[in-house]
Protein backbone atom coordinates (compact mmCIF):
# COMPACT_ATOMS: atom_id res chain seq x y z
CA UNK A 1 0.00 0.00 0.00
CA UNK A 2 1.44 3.38 -0.95
CA UNK A 3 0.94 6.50 1.12
CA UNK A 4 -1.30 7.95 -1.58
CA UNK A 5 -3.78 5.06 -1.49
CA UNK A 6 -6.69 4.83 0.90
CA UNK A 7 -5.43 4.45 4.46
CA UNK A 8 -8.15 1.95 5.45
CA UNK A 9 -11.43 0.62 4.12
CA UNK A 10 -13.95 3.39 3.92
CA UNK A 11 -11.38 6.17 4.30
CA UNK A 12 -11.23 8.94 1.75
CA UNK A 13 -8.32 8.87 -0.68
CA UNK A 14 -5.59 11.38 0.07
CA UNK A 15 -4.36 13.95 -2.41
CA UNK A 16 -0.91 12.61 -3.42
CA UNK A 17 0.67 16.04 -3.30
CA UNK A 18 -0.26 16.42 0.39
CA UNK A 19 1.04 13.09 1.71
CA UNK A 20 3.64 14.64 3.99
CA UNK A 21 1.66 17.71 4.96
CA UNK A 22 0.49 18.43 8.53
CA UNK A 23 -3.13 18.65 7.45
CA UNK A 24 -2.88 15.11 6.06
CA UNK A 25 -1.50 13.86 9.36
CA UNK A 26 -4.38 15.49 11.21
CA UNK A 27 -6.88 13.95 8.79
CA UNK A 28 -5.33 10.51 9.35
CA UNK A 29 -5.64 10.98 13.11
CA UNK A 30 -9.33 11.81 12.79
CA UNK A 31 -9.93 8.81 10.54
CA UNK A 32 -8.21 6.45 12.98
CA UNK A 33 -10.23 7.84 15.89
CA UNK A 34 -13.42 6.81 14.06
CA UNK A 35 -12.36 3.20 13.49
CA UNK A 36 -13.21 0.44 15.93
CA UNK A 37 -10.37 -1.62 17.34
CA UNK A 38 -11.51 -4.65 15.33
CA UNK A 39 -11.61 -2.63 12.13
CA UNK A 40 -8.19 -1.12 12.85
CA UNK A 41 -6.57 -4.51 13.47
CA UNK A 42 -8.22 -6.08 10.46
CA UNK A 43 -7.22 -3.29 8.11
CA UNK A 44 -3.57 -3.31 9.17
CA UNK A 45 -2.92 -7.03 9.78
CA UNK A 46 -0.87 -7.38 6.62
CA UNK A 47 1.28 -4.37 7.49
CA UNK A 48 1.87 -5.63 11.02
CA UNK A 49 2.92 -9.01 9.71
CA UNK A 50 5.41 -7.37 7.37
CA UNK A 51 7.04 -5.39 10.17
CA UNK A 52 6.82 -8.02 12.90
CA UNK A 53 9.90 -9.81 11.63
CA UNK A 54 11.96 -6.68 12.26
CA UNK A 55 10.55 -6.07 15.75
CA UNK A 56 8.71 -2.99 14.48
CA UNK A 57 5.09 -4.09 14.88
CA UNK A 58 3.06 -1.81 17.19
CA UNK A 59 3.07 -3.02 20.79
CA UNK A 60 -0.25 -1.43 21.68
CA UNK A 61 -2.13 -3.54 24.25
CA UNK A 62 -5.54 -2.09 23.66
CA UNK A 63 -7.25 0.89 22.14
CA UNK A 64 -9.96 2.87 23.79
CA UNK A 65 -13.38 1.32 23.19
CA UNK A 66 -15.22 3.62 20.75
CA UNK A 67 -17.64 5.84 22.62
CA UNK A 68 -16.40 4.63 26.00
CA UNK A 69 -14.08 6.93 27.96
CA UNK A 70 -11.18 5.77 30.11
CA UNK A 71 -10.76 6.91 33.71
CA UNK A 72 -7.43 6.82 35.54
CA UNK A 73 -8.07 6.65 39.30
CA UNK A 74 -6.19 6.31 42.60
CA UNK A 75 -3.21 8.44 41.61
CA UNK A 76 -0.99 11.45 42.28
CA UNK A 77 -0.15 13.54 39.23
CA UNK A 78 2.22 16.23 37.98
CA UNK A 79 0.43 18.41 35.44
CA UNK A 80 3.58 19.55 33.62
CA UNK A 81 3.55 23.11 34.95
CA UNK A 82 2.53 23.32 38.63
CA UNK A 83 5.58 22.61 40.87
CA UNK A 84 3.79 20.07 43.07
CA UNK A 85 2.10 16.69 42.90
CA UNK A 86 -1.68 16.89 42.95
CA UNK A 87 -4.14 14.48 44.53
CA UNK A 88 -7.87 13.97 44.85
CA UNK A 89 -8.50 13.95 41.10
CA UNK A 90 -9.22 11.33 38.47
CA UNK A 91 -8.15 11.79 34.84
CA UNK A 92 -10.84 11.24 32.20
CA UNK A 93 -9.72 10.39 28.65
CA UNK A 94 -12.01 10.41 25.63
CA UNK A 95 -11.27 10.41 21.89
CA UNK A 96 -7.53 10.67 22.43
CA UNK A 97 -7.68 13.72 24.67
CA UNK A 98 -7.93 14.54 28.34
CA UNK A 99 -11.64 15.17 28.77
CA UNK A 100 -11.45 16.38 32.36
CA UNK A 101 -9.76 16.34 35.75
CA UNK A 102 -12.58 15.16 37.99
CA UNK A 103 -13.00 14.97 41.73
CA UNK A 104 -12.03 11.44 42.76
CA UNK A 105 -14.95 9.03 42.52
CA UNK A 106 -17.13 11.23 40.31
CA UNK A 107 -16.31 9.72 36.92
CA UNK A 108 -19.06 8.85 34.44
CA UNK A 109 -20.79 5.50 34.54
CA UNK A 110 -19.62 3.09 31.88
CA UNK A 111 -16.06 4.42 31.77
CA UNK A 112 -13.24 1.90 31.58
CA UNK A 113 -11.52 2.35 34.95
CA UNK A 114 -7.76 1.91 35.37
CA UNK A 115 -6.66 1.85 39.01
CA UNK A 116 -3.15 3.32 39.22
CA UNK A 117 -2.58 1.94 42.72
CA UNK A 118 -1.57 5.28 44.23
CA UNK A 119 1.29 5.70 41.76
CA UNK A 120 2.61 8.86 40.10
CA UNK A 121 1.17 10.01 36.79
CA UNK A 122 3.04 12.43 34.53
CA UNK A 123 2.55 13.78 31.02
CA UNK A 124 4.38 11.90 28.30
CA UNK A 125 8.02 12.99 28.22
CA UNK A 126 9.37 15.17 25.40
CA UNK A 127 12.94 15.14 24.08
CA UNK A 128 13.50 18.43 22.26
CA UNK A 129 16.78 17.39 20.64
CA UNK A 130 16.64 13.89 19.20
CA UNK A 131 17.81 12.29 15.97
CA UNK A 132 15.44 9.40 15.35
CA UNK A 133 17.28 8.06 12.29
CA UNK A 134 20.82 8.66 13.60
CA UNK A 135 20.74 7.63 17.26
CA UNK A 136 20.81 3.84 16.81
CA UNK A 137 23.60 3.54 14.24
CA UNK A 138 27.26 4.48 14.03
CA UNK A 139 28.53 7.53 12.17
CA UNK A 140 30.25 5.40 9.53
CA UNK A 141 27.01 3.45 8.99
CA UNK A 142 25.06 6.67 8.49
CA UNK A 143 27.58 7.77 5.87
CA UNK A 144 27.87 4.50 3.97
CA UNK A 145 25.02 2.03 4.53
CA UNK A 146 21.90 1.47 2.46
CA UNK A 147 19.23 3.96 3.45
CA UNK A 148 16.62 1.21 3.77
CA UNK A 149 18.64 -0.45 6.52
CA UNK A 150 19.07 2.92 8.24
CA UNK A 151 15.31 3.39 8.30
CA UNK A 152 14.64 -0.09 9.65
CA UNK A 153 17.07 0.56 12.50
CA UNK A 154 15.31 3.86 13.13
CA UNK A 155 11.96 2.09 13.32
CA UNK A 156 13.29 -0.34 15.90
CA UNK A 157 14.70 2.50 18.00
CA UNK A 158 11.43 4.44 17.73
CA UNK A 159 9.59 1.67 19.57
CA UNK A 160 12.24 1.63 22.29
CA UNK A 161 11.96 5.41 22.63
CA UNK A 162 8.24 5.18 23.32
CA UNK A 163 8.76 2.39 25.86
CA UNK A 164 11.12 4.71 27.77
CA UNK A 165 8.20 7.11 28.21
CA UNK A 166 9.16 9.64 25.53
CA UNK A 167 5.89 10.06 23.68
CA UNK A 168 7.14 13.04 21.63
CA UNK A 169 10.49 14.03 20.15
CA UNK A 170 11.58 17.07 18.20
CA UNK A 171 13.80 15.59 15.54
CA UNK A 172 16.59 18.09 14.93
CA UNK A 173 18.02 16.62 11.77
CA UNK A 174 17.74 13.55 9.59
CA UNK A 175 15.55 11.76 7.01
CA UNK A 176 12.68 11.14 9.41
CA UNK A 177 9.60 11.96 7.33
CA UNK A 178 8.88 8.34 6.33
CA UNK A 179 9.30 7.08 9.89
CA UNK A 180 6.96 9.76 11.18
CA UNK A 181 4.33 8.80 8.62
CA UNK A 182 4.60 5.11 9.53
CA UNK A 183 4.20 5.89 13.24
CA UNK A 184 1.28 8.26 12.68
CA UNK A 185 -0.51 5.65 10.54
CA UNK A 186 0.03 2.91 13.12
CA UNK A 187 2.35 0.70 11.07
CA UNK A 188 5.27 1.22 13.47
CA UNK A 189 5.34 1.96 17.19
CA UNK A 190 7.05 5.18 18.20
CA UNK A 191 6.73 8.71 19.55
CA UNK A 192 5.15 11.72 17.94
CA UNK A 193 7.80 13.40 15.78
CA UNK A 194 8.28 17.10 15.07
CA UNK A 195 10.61 16.80 12.03
CA UNK A 196 13.26 19.27 10.89
CA UNK A 197 14.37 17.27 7.88
CA UNK A 198 17.88 17.79 6.60
CA UNK A 199 20.16 19.97 8.72
CA UNK A 200 21.30 23.06 6.81
CA UNK A 201 25.07 23.59 6.86
CA UNK A 202 27.54 25.83 5.12
CA UNK A 203 30.50 24.27 3.34
CA UNK A 204 32.98 23.19 6.06
CA UNK A 205 30.20 23.51 8.66
CA UNK A 206 28.95 21.10 11.29
CA UNK A 207 26.80 19.27 8.76
CA UNK A 208 29.52 18.86 6.11
CA UNK A 209 30.83 15.30 6.51
CA UNK A 210 32.32 14.92 3.03
CA UNK A 211 35.75 13.41 2.66
CA UNK A 212 38.47 15.86 1.67
CA UNK A 213 39.12 13.97 -1.56
CA UNK A 214 35.67 15.11 -2.75
CA UNK A 215 36.82 18.73 -2.83
CA UNK A 216 36.53 20.98 -4.70
CA UNK A 217 32.81 20.72 -5.36
CA UNK A 218 32.10 21.96 -8.87
CA UNK A 219 28.78 23.31 -10.21
CA UNK A 220 28.01 20.09 -12.10
CA UNK A 221 28.79 17.73 -9.21
CA UNK A 222 25.94 15.83 -7.62
CA UNK A 223 25.12 15.64 -3.92
CA UNK A 224 27.03 13.19 -1.76
CA UNK A 225 25.47 10.28 0.17
CA UNK A 226 24.69 12.30 3.31
CA UNK A 227 22.82 14.90 1.26
CA UNK A 228 21.04 12.36 -0.96
CA UNK A 229 19.81 10.43 2.07
CA UNK A 230 18.42 13.60 3.68
CA UNK A 231 20.71 13.84 6.72
CA UNK A 232 22.10 17.27 5.84
CA UNK A 233 21.93 19.85 3.06
CA UNK A 234 24.98 21.96 2.24
CA UNK A 235 23.86 25.46 1.29
CA UNK A 236 26.05 28.54 0.77
CA UNK A 237 24.70 32.02 0.11
CA UNK A 238 21.25 33.45 0.57
CA UNK A 239 19.71 31.91 -2.56
CA UNK A 240 20.86 28.38 -1.76
CA UNK A 241 19.77 28.66 1.88
CA UNK A 242 16.33 29.78 0.72
CA UNK A 243 16.09 26.84 -1.65
CA UNK A 244 17.10 24.21 0.90
CA UNK A 245 14.88 25.70 3.60
CA UNK A 246 11.88 25.64 1.30
CA UNK A 247 12.62 22.05 0.31
CA UNK A 248 12.39 20.92 3.93
CA UNK A 249 9.17 22.86 4.43
CA UNK A 250 7.80 21.24 1.29
CA UNK A 251 8.54 17.82 2.76
CA UNK A 252 6.68 18.65 5.97
CA UNK A 253 9.25 20.14 8.34
CA UNK A 254 7.67 21.57 11.48
CA UNK A 255 10.77 23.72 12.09
CA UNK A 256 14.11 24.32 10.34
CA UNK A 257 17.51 23.38 11.76
CA UNK A 258 20.67 25.29 10.81
CA UNK A 259 24.28 24.84 11.87
CA UNK A 260 25.49 28.15 13.28
CA UNK A 261 28.79 27.08 14.81
CA UNK A 262 31.38 24.34 15.25
CA UNK A 263 30.53 20.96 16.69
CA UNK A 264 32.00 18.00 18.49
CA UNK A 265 31.12 15.22 16.03
CA UNK A 266 32.16 17.00 12.83
CA UNK A 267 35.76 16.51 11.67
CA UNK A 268 36.77 19.86 10.20
CA UNK A 269 35.22 22.78 12.08
CA UNK A 270 36.78 23.96 15.36
CA UNK A 271 34.31 24.52 18.18
CA UNK A 272 34.90 28.29 18.28
CA UNK A 273 33.98 28.90 14.63
CA UNK A 274 30.95 30.97 13.69
CA UNK A 275 29.00 29.53 10.77
CA UNK A 276 26.58 31.16 8.36
CA UNK A 277 26.68 34.87 7.71
CA UNK A 278 23.93 36.99 9.17
CA UNK A 279 22.20 37.35 5.79
CA UNK A 280 22.28 33.59 5.25
CA UNK A 281 20.72 32.98 8.65
CA UNK A 282 18.07 35.59 7.95
CA UNK A 283 17.21 33.83 4.70
CA UNK A 284 16.31 30.65 6.63
CA UNK A 285 14.43 32.61 9.29
CA UNK A 286 12.42 34.56 6.72
CA UNK A 287 11.52 31.49 4.68
CA UNK A 288 10.42 29.64 7.84
CA UNK A 289 8.42 32.65 9.05
CA UNK A 290 6.57 32.78 5.74
CA UNK A 291 5.35 29.27 6.59
CA UNK A 292 4.44 30.27 10.14
CA UNK A 293 7.27 28.43 11.84
CA UNK A 294 10.79 29.04 13.17
CA UNK A 295 14.49 28.17 13.00
CA UNK A 296 16.52 26.37 15.64
CA UNK A 297 20.32 26.51 15.53
CA UNK A 298 23.17 24.28 16.62
CA UNK A 299 25.67 26.64 18.24
CA UNK A 300 27.91 26.81 21.32
CA UNK A 301 29.75 30.13 21.49
CA UNK A 302 28.75 33.70 22.42
CA UNK A 303 29.55 35.04 18.95
CA UNK A 304 27.43 32.43 17.21
CA UNK A 305 24.55 32.76 19.68
CA UNK A 306 24.45 36.55 19.37
CA UNK A 307 24.36 36.28 15.58
CA UNK A 308 21.46 33.82 15.86
CA UNK A 309 19.54 36.19 18.11
CA UNK A 310 20.08 39.06 15.68
CA UNK A 311 18.89 36.92 12.78
CA UNK A 312 15.68 35.93 14.57
CA UNK A 313 16.48 32.31 15.46
CA UNK A 314 13.99 31.17 18.12
CA UNK A 315 15.74 28.18 19.70
CA UNK A 316 19.41 27.77 20.63
CA UNK A 317 20.51 24.14 20.57
CA UNK A 318 23.32 23.38 23.06
CA UNK A 319 24.93 26.78 23.81
CA UNK A 320 27.06 25.47 26.71
CA UNK A 321 29.85 27.98 26.07
CA UNK A 322 27.62 31.05 26.38
CA UNK A 323 28.90 33.79 28.68
CA UNK A 324 26.82 35.82 31.12
CA UNK A 325 26.11 38.66 28.70
CA UNK A 326 24.97 36.25 26.01
CA UNK A 327 22.70 34.37 28.40
CA UNK A 328 21.14 37.67 29.48
CA UNK A 329 20.59 38.56 25.81
CA UNK A 330 18.82 35.23 25.28
CA UNK A 331 16.46 36.00 28.15
CA UNK A 332 15.75 39.51 26.88
CA UNK A 333 15.03 38.23 23.36
CA UNK A 334 12.68 35.52 24.70
CA UNK A 335 14.73 32.89 22.89
CA UNK A 336 14.40 29.26 23.91
CA UNK A 337 17.42 27.30 25.13
CA UNK A 338 17.23 23.63 24.19
CA UNK A 339 19.96 22.39 26.52
CA UNK A 340 21.44 18.97 27.27
CA UNK A 341 23.39 17.57 30.26
CA UNK A 342 26.67 17.23 28.36
CA UNK A 343 28.92 16.11 31.22
CA UNK A 344 31.51 13.91 29.43
CA UNK A 345 30.41 10.99 31.60
CA UNK A 346 29.65 7.35 30.78
CA UNK A 347 26.48 8.35 28.91
CA UNK A 348 28.25 10.80 26.59
CA UNK A 349 28.56 10.17 22.86
CA UNK A 350 31.78 8.30 22.16
CA UNK A 351 34.51 9.71 19.89
CA UNK A 352 37.83 8.17 18.86
CA UNK A 353 39.26 11.37 17.32
CA UNK A 354 41.38 13.23 19.92
CA UNK A 355 40.17 16.56 18.50
CA UNK A 356 36.54 15.59 19.12
CA UNK A 357 37.40 14.35 22.60
CA UNK A 358 39.01 17.70 23.43
CA UNK A 359 35.98 19.59 22.14
CA UNK A 360 33.72 17.36 24.21
CA UNK A 361 35.66 18.23 27.37
CA UNK A 362 35.34 21.95 26.62
CA UNK A 363 31.58 21.62 26.28
CA UNK A 364 31.31 19.61 29.52
CA UNK A 365 33.17 22.31 31.44
CA UNK A 366 30.61 24.88 30.31
CA UNK A 367 27.53 22.76 31.00
CA UNK A 368 27.29 23.37 34.75
CA UNK A 369 27.70 27.13 34.35
CA UNK A 370 25.14 27.18 31.52
CA UNK A 371 22.43 25.53 33.63
CA UNK A 372 23.16 27.71 36.65
CA UNK A 373 23.26 31.03 34.79
CA UNK A 374 20.38 30.13 32.49
CA UNK A 375 18.13 29.55 35.50
CA UNK A 376 19.39 32.71 37.23
CA UNK A 377 18.59 34.85 34.19
CA UNK A 378 15.19 33.22 33.60
CA UNK A 379 15.90 31.90 30.10
CA UNK A 380 13.18 29.68 28.64
CA UNK A 381 14.79 26.23 28.89
CA UNK A 382 13.68 22.85 27.54
CA UNK A 383 15.24 19.41 27.83
CA UNK A 384 16.98 17.46 25.08
CA UNK A 385 19.58 14.71 24.87
CA UNK A 386 21.25 14.77 21.43
CA UNK A 387 22.29 11.13 21.67
CA UNK A 388 24.00 10.73 18.30
CA UNK A 389 25.58 7.74 16.51
CA UNK A 390 25.41 5.95 19.85
CA UNK A 391 23.21 2.81 19.96
CA UNK A 392 24.24 2.01 23.53
CA UNK A 393 23.63 5.56 24.69
CA UNK A 394 20.04 5.68 23.41
CA UNK A 395 18.85 3.77 26.47
CA UNK A 396 20.20 6.57 28.71
CA UNK A 397 17.44 8.98 27.64
CA UNK A 398 15.57 8.91 30.95
CA UNK A 399 18.78 8.86 32.96
CA UNK A 400 19.90 12.02 31.17
CA UNK A 401 16.74 13.77 32.33
CA UNK A 402 17.29 12.59 35.90
CA UNK A 403 20.73 14.28 35.84
CA UNK A 404 19.06 17.69 35.74
CA UNK A 405 18.29 17.34 39.45
CA UNK A 406 21.94 18.27 39.96
CA UNK A 407 20.97 21.78 38.87
CA UNK A 408 17.35 22.18 39.99
CA UNK A 409 14.54 20.57 42.03
CA UNK A 410 13.09 17.36 40.54
CA UNK A 411 9.74 18.78 39.46
CA UNK A 412 11.40 21.75 37.81
CA UNK A 413 13.62 19.34 35.89
CA UNK A 414 10.57 17.30 34.91
CA UNK A 415 8.83 20.46 33.70
CA UNK A 416 11.67 21.01 31.21
CA UNK A 417 10.71 17.71 29.55
CA UNK A 418 6.93 18.23 29.77
CA UNK A 419 5.18 21.61 30.01
CA UNK A 420 8.16 23.75 28.97
CA UNK A 421 9.04 21.41 26.12
CA UNK A 422 5.44 21.56 24.93
CA UNK A 423 5.67 25.36 24.81
CA UNK A 424 8.77 25.14 22.64
CA UNK A 425 7.05 22.71 20.25
CA UNK A 426 4.12 25.11 19.99
CA UNK A 427 6.36 27.60 18.19
CA UNK A 428 5.70 25.53 15.06
CA UNK A 429 2.21 27.06 14.93
CA UNK A 430 0.19 25.73 11.99
CA UNK A 431 3.16 23.59 10.93
CA UNK A 432 2.82 21.53 14.10
CA UNK A 433 1.91 18.03 12.91
CA UNK A 434 -0.40 17.29 15.87
CA UNK A 435 -3.47 19.27 16.81
CA UNK A 436 -3.47 19.77 20.58
CA UNK A 437 -1.38 20.67 23.62
CA UNK A 438 1.50 18.42 24.56
CA UNK A 439 3.44 17.99 27.78
CA UNK A 440 0.59 18.82 30.15
CA UNK A 441 -2.24 17.13 31.99
CA UNK A 442 -5.01 19.62 31.31
CA UNK A 443 -8.46 19.79 29.76
CA UNK A 444 -8.38 19.02 26.02
CA UNK A 445 -4.65 18.26 25.96
CA UNK A 446 -3.58 15.22 23.97
CA UNK A 447 -3.80 12.12 26.18
CA UNK A 448 -0.12 11.23 26.44
CA UNK A 449 0.21 9.86 29.98
CA UNK A 450 2.66 7.76 31.99
CA UNK A 451 2.24 5.88 35.28
CA UNK A 452 5.41 5.42 37.33
CA UNK A 453 6.71 3.67 40.40
CA UNK A 454 8.52 6.64 41.91
CA UNK A 455 7.99 10.03 43.54
CA UNK A 456 8.92 12.98 41.28
CA UNK A 457 8.82 15.37 44.24
CA UNK A 458 11.70 13.49 45.85
CA UNK A 459 13.94 12.53 42.89
CA UNK A 460 13.87 11.39 39.27
CA UNK A 461 16.06 8.31 39.66
CA UNK A 462 13.15 6.07 38.66
CA UNK A 463 13.41 7.44 35.10
CA UNK A 464 16.71 5.59 34.70
CA UNK A 465 15.01 2.19 34.64
CA UNK A 466 11.75 2.43 32.67
CA UNK A 467 11.57 -1.34 32.20
CA UNK A 468 11.07 -1.74 35.96
CA UNK A 469 9.42 1.55 36.92
CA UNK A 470 7.23 2.61 33.99
CA UNK A 471 3.92 0.84 34.52
CA UNK A 472 1.71 2.38 31.84
CA UNK A 473 2.39 4.19 28.56
CA UNK A 474 -0.51 5.95 26.87
CA UNK A 475 -0.18 8.01 23.70
CA UNK A 476 -3.22 9.66 22.21
CA UNK A 477 -5.50 7.57 24.42
CA UNK A 478 -3.99 4.28 23.21
CA UNK A 479 -2.25 2.08 25.74
CA UNK A 480 1.09 0.72 24.56
CA UNK A 481 2.23 -0.74 27.86
CA UNK A 482 0.34 -1.73 30.99
CA UNK A 483 1.87 -3.46 34.01
CA UNK A 484 -0.37 -2.20 36.81
Amino acid sequence: MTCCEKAAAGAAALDPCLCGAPQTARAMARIEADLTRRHFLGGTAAVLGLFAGFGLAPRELRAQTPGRPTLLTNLRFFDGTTPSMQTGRDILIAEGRIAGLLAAGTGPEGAEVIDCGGRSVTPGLIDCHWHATLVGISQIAAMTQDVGWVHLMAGREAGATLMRGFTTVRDTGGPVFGLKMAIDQGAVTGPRIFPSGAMLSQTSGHGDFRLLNLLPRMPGDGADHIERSGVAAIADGRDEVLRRTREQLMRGASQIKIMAGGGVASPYDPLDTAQYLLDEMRAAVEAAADWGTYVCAHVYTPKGIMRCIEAGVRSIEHGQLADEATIRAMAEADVWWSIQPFLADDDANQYSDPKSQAKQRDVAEGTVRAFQQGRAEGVNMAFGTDVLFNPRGAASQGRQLAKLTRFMPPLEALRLATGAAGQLLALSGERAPYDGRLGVIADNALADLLVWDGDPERDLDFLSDPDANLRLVMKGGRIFKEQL
Side-chain angles (χ1 to χ4, degrees):
M1 183 180 71
T2 66
C3 60
C4 294
E5 293 174 344
K6 293 185 178 182
L14 302 178
D15 183 346
C17 68
L18 294 177
C19 285
Q23 57 264 43
T24 301
R26 289 193 285 269
M28 288 297 303
R30 289 194 296 270
I31 291 169
E32 288 188 7
D34 291 337
L35 298 177
T36 66
R37 172 171 167 74
R38 185 179 300 275
H39 189 183
F40 175 80
L41 292 177
T44 59
V47 176
L48 302 190
L50 172 66
F51 283 96
F54 298 102
L56 303 183
R59 285 181 273 182
E60 172 213 350
L61 295 182
R62 67 171 184 265
Q64 197 174 51
T65 303
R68 185 183 180 193
T70 299
L71 190 69
L72 299 186
T73 67
N74 190 14
L75 55 88
R76 304 167 66 236
F77 73 94
F78 171 62
D79 67 6
T81 56
T82 307
S84 63
M85 297 294 288
Q86 301 182 46
T87 59
R89 299 286 189 91
D90 293 341
I91 303 174
L92 184 66
I93 298 105
E95 298 183 352
R97 294 177 181 266
I98 296 173
L101 300 176
L102 311 179
T106 64
E109 291 186 10
E112 180 180 3
V113 177
I114 298 178
D115 187 334
C116 297
R119 295 179 175 89
S120 300
V121 178
T122 72
L125 302 176
I126 300 171
D127 190 329
C128 288
H129 196 112
W130 190 247
H131 297 277
T133 54
L134 304 177
V135 59
I137 58 176
S138 68
Q139 183 170 326
I140 190 66
M143 296 175 66
T144 61
Q145 293 299 316
D146 181 84
V147 69
W149 177 85
V150 170
H151 288 307
L152 284 171
M153 296 301 100
R156 183 177 68 176
E157 185 57 45
T161 302
L162 183 62
M163 291 303 106
R164 290 191 287 267
F166 286 85
T167 55
T168 303
V169 297
R170 185 178 60 148
D171 191 279
T172 49
V176 77
F177 297 110
L179 175 63
K180 177 189 175 299
M181 184 180 294
I183 292 171
D184 290 347
Q185 293 183 358
V188 174
T189 295
R192 304 177 189 275
I193 297 177
F194 279 67
S196 299
M199 303 171 275
L200 272 59
S201 172
Q202 68 173 46
T203 295
S204 77
H206 183 51
D208 189 349
F209 286 87
R210 293 174 298 165
L211 299 176
L212 293 177
N213 62 8
L214 295 177
L215 303 181
R217 184 173 183 172
M218 305 304 290
D221 292 343
D224 74 337
H225 178 75
I226 288 291
E227 293 179 276
R228 289 196 307 272
S229 62
V231 173
I234 299 173
D236 295 300
R238 180 178 176 86
D239 290 348
E240 195 65 18
V241 171
L242 283 174
R243 185 192 314 276
R244 300 306 175 206
T245 299
R246 289 166 175 165
E247 286 175 349
Q248 303 318 307
L249 294 167
M250 181 179 178
R251 298 195 69 179
S254 52
Q255 65 283 323
I256 297 297
K257 166 78 172 296
I258 66 171
M259 302 305 198
V264 174
S266 43
Y268 310 120
D269 51 330
L271 203 60
D272 63 290
T273 58
Q275 298 175 16
Y276 273 135
L277 303 177
L278 181 61
D279 190 51
E280 291 173 311
M281 283 190 189
R282 281 177 171 161
V285 169
E286 290 166 7
D290 281 348
W291 279 54
T293 187
Y294 70 99
V295 171
C296 63
H298 162 104
V299 62
Y300 285 103
T301 64
K303 180 179 179 180
I305 294 171
M306 293 301 292
R307 186 178 293 179
C308 287
I309 293 173
E310 185 177 357
V313 169
R314 299 290 294 125
S315 176
I316 299 299
E317 309 299 311
H318 316 314
Q320 278 86 351
L321 302 183
D323 57 22
E324 187 173 348
T326 303
I327 293 172
R328 189 173 298 115
M330 292 170 64
E332 292 172 352
D334 199 29
V335 168
W336 278 87
W337 196 348
S338 171
I339 188 167
Q340 305 75 34
F342 288 158
L343 298 169
D345 55 16
D346 290 341
D347 293 325
N349 296 325
Q350 302 299 308
Y351 302 102
S352 58
D353 183 354
K355 292 182 179 178
S356 291
Q357 292 172 353
K359 291 191 284 187
Q360 190 176 49
R361 288 191 295 270
D362 289 342
V363 170
E365 290 174 3
T367 294
V368 175
R369 181 183 67 253
F371 273 106
Q372 292 173 341
Q373 294 185 353
R375 290 185 68 224
E377 294 294 339
V379 181
N380 295 321
M381 302 176 83
F383 169 75
T385 55
D386 194 31
V387 180
L388 186 64
F389 305 133
N390 188 357
R392 181 182 64 84
S396 72
Q397 204 171 13
R399 186 163 60 246
Q400 304 267 19
L401 176 54
K403 291 176 186 178
L404 299 194
T405 58
R406 172 178 174 178
F407 312 110
M408 62 193 74
L411 287 180
E412 183 180 343
L414 192 56
R415 185 185 68 84
L416 266 60
T418 53
Q423 288 180 268
L424 172 53
L425 297 181
L427 293 182
S428 293
E430 288 299 313
R431 301 288 78 74
Y434 308 101
D435 182 16
R437 292 181 68 190
L438 291 164
V440 294
I441 298 177
D443 287 347
N444 206 39
L446 293 171
D448 296 354
L449 299 165
L450 310 173
V451 179
W452 298 92
D453 282 336
D455 183 0
E457 281 188 313
R458 184 179 64 190
D459 61 55
L460 298 182
D461 293 345
F462 60 89
L463 299 176
S464 301
D465 191 357
D467 288 342
N469 299 320
L470 182 52
R471 295 294 182 171
L472 182 142
V473 176
M474 176 185 286
K475 189 187 82 169
R478 295 184 183 275
I479 296 174
F480 290 82
K481 175 182 180 179
E482 183 181 347
Q483 295 180 349
L484 292 170

